[in-house]
Amino acid sequence: MTAKTDGQLNLRVVLYGAVNSGKSSLINAMAGKTVAKTSSHAGETVATSSHALDGAEYKMALEEFLLILVDTPGLVEAGGSERAKTAFDAVRAADLVLFVLASDATEAEHAAIMQVRDVSKPVLMALTKTDQLTQKQRTQRREAIHKKFARLIGPSNIVEISAAPTRKVEIINAATGKKMIEDRTGIPDVTALQARIIAIAKTEGRALIEISGGMERLDSLAATKARRHKQAESAIDDYSIGTAIGIALNPIPILDLFGGGIGIATLVKRLSAIYETPMAMDEINELASQLLRNSRSELFWVVASIAGGSLLKSVPGLGTAGGALLQAAAAGFLVNVVGHTAKLYMDNGKSWEEGSLRETLRHVIANTDKDGTIAHIKEKVRARLDLGT
């Protein structure tokens, strides 16, 4: 994207726009030769493709910059959801977005331009197929586009071009003398666009590089956060179910009153590892103790359920199974709440998001699906211990 190549700074320019707006033709015009496939049929570009243009291929001296032009699938193509994602992923990785527009912007194109601006990408707009319009039509299109977008992207960043112009040529058949008119490819006119890209590269190139680098870092952080969240959720579920099963299997009813703390310190340690937040064992044990103490205070029904389960366990047969399941569900729910409270603590850099441990704990309790969580725990315990319904 931005690394130096033979002393030149790379500038990644992504072409974005609707089907048949002329993106591939524009790449060919800037390259001075055919490097991108063009077609009158919608949907020909199914993935992004990059074309690196060196000084010999590009028609103006780039000196310190090497443009990397990236073609993308057109907007609103058949099967568009996947292609739209492919195109927008390329936009997020761009240093500069070149939005290609053949006529006045449709609703879809207007929305796409706004979406690009939302990710803080500098935008140039190329008004293509200028050669196919009369002077009056050109003026009308230019005025309409400037009215909609000049304040958004800047009037100097809206440029008219002819990427693949045609010209009428009269051909005389030497044998019959009959005259014929043929359409032949003319000389592209992209000079103004090239000049604007180079001007931006020279005045803002390094800033664009920093913006793109920042976006990449944000994407990396988002991916890391999503990975940690998934791992933490899995760990909390594992420890909740493990604790529930351990409580259910405890053969000494009265000891279950002190249950629920089994594995909490281990869970805290596991979460600190997932979030790469180093903690000494004394610190882990102290946090686990505070979490358990406060959670028992806020979830008094858990203590009552464990006590009730202990009494049921003393009754042979169904009483034992029912007491075990009651205790398991209560203890598992407690560990689930404690785990999510500790998760917020780690995710917030070892500080309490809601101001204090108790406030964070209450926030977690209020936002936890009690019935759904308990049903999930019971289902897992029943299946593991074959307790039936």
Side-chain angles (χ1 to χ4, degrees), residues 200-234:
I200 290 175
K202 288 184 176 180
T203 59
E204 304 176 36
R206 295 186 186 279
L208 300 184
I209 287 170
E210 289 301 317
I211 290 172
S212 294
M215 292 299 295
E216 284 190 348
R217 288 190 290 274
L218 286 175
D219 287 344
S220 177
L221 287 173
T224 298
K225 186 171 183 178
R227 172 180 55 79
R228 288 173 173 171
H229 174 78
K230 184 176 180 180
Q231 291 176 343
E233 289 293 325
S234 178

Side-chain angles (χ1 to χ4, degrees), residues 243-260 301-313 320-334 377-378 381:
T243 297
I245 292 171
I247 293 292
L249 289 174
N250 192 341
I252 307 175
I254 194 63
L255 291 183
D256 294 336
L257 284 170
F258 304 98
W301 66 267
V302 169
V303 178
S305 296
I306 293 174
S310 291
L311 293 176
L312 280 174
K313 269 187 179 180
T320 301
L325 194 58
L326 177 62
Q327 288 183 308
F333 182 81
L334 183 144
I377 293 169
K378 284 183 175 180
V381 172

